[in-house]
Amino acid sequence: MPLVTLGTKGYYLGIFFKANWFRAYQFCRYHGLHLVSIESQEENQRLEDFVKSEGLMGEHFWTSGTDQAEEGNFFWMGTGRPFTFTNWNAGEPNNFKYENNEEEHCLELWNRDGKGLKWNDTPCSFETFFICESERIE
């Protein structure tokens, strides 16, 4: 599986099919990877620059971020660690409740309003692209 090295990690842009958060997580794990866990503004910017270079800024991308264990307490499923850096869109996370009572518990990267790849909580059942990462390359 071709990985692109950005900083100290290798990344795979899952753009050949859209998947819900669980399927994206399964795909990454099957290939020995994890859904991405973003640990700094620098990493977030590297990913944004990469997505932009691929002409995909209009798309959404799953990360391993979730608050499924406890509402409002987000952590990275890929590492098990709580967030030490955040880059939420304005007004997020908001845990919006949909007509079918589905709530927002999974974190996506989204270029809402052309302001760059910011974070948004969204229902885990939504199907979108995703980003996998390798262990640290040091």
Side-chain angles (χ1 to χ4, degrees):
M1 179 165 246
L3 299 180
V4 173
T5 301
L6 304 172
T8 62
K9 296 181 185 176
Y11 299 93
Y12 173 78
L13 213 51
I15 58 171
F16 294 108
F17 65 94
K18 293 185 177 184
N20 66 40
W21 188 87
F22 303 99
R23 177 72 178 103
Y25 186 87
Q26 177 193 23
F27 179 89
C28 293
R29 291 304 301 136
Y30 180 83
H31 293 283
L33 306 170
H34 293 276
L35 275 175
V36 68
S37 300
I38 302 170
E39 300 171 344
S40 68
Q41 175 60 43
E42 294 76 23
E43 182 177 12
N44 199 95
Q45 189 62 52
R46 283 191 296 267
L47 287 169
E48 180 174 330
D49 292 345
F50 177 51
V51 168
K52 189 180 294 182
S53 75
E54 296 295 312
L56 296 167
M57 285 297 282
E59 298 296 340
H60 301 236
F61 297 90
W62 285 128
T63 72
S64 76
T66 183
D67 72 344
Q68 291 180 87
E70 181 182 350
E71 174 56 37
N73 186 18
F74 280 86
F75 70 98
W76 297 113
M77 183 69 95
T79 64
R81 296 184 182 119
F83 290 1
T84 55
F85 156 77
T86 61
N87 193 36
W88 294 106
N89 266 311
E92 302 295 345
N94 62 4
N95 196 36
F96 183 82
K97 190 178 225 177
Y98 292 77
E99 290 180 10
N100 64 358
N101 288 326
E102 188 170 18
E103 296 178 348
E104 300 179 320
H105 295 297
C106 291
L107 191 155
E108 67 173 357
L109 299 176
W110 179 27
N111 183 24
R112 181 173 77 190
D113 304 324
K115 296 179 180 175
L117 284 184
K118 303 282 187 183
W119 300 3
N120 179 55
D121 61 331
T122 199
C124 304
S125 66
F126 282 15
E127 293 191 350
T128 191
F129 293 138
F130 52 93
I131 302 173
C132 303
E133 70 179 8
S134 68
E135 301 295 327
R136 291 189 169 279
I137 303 168
E138 300 193 44

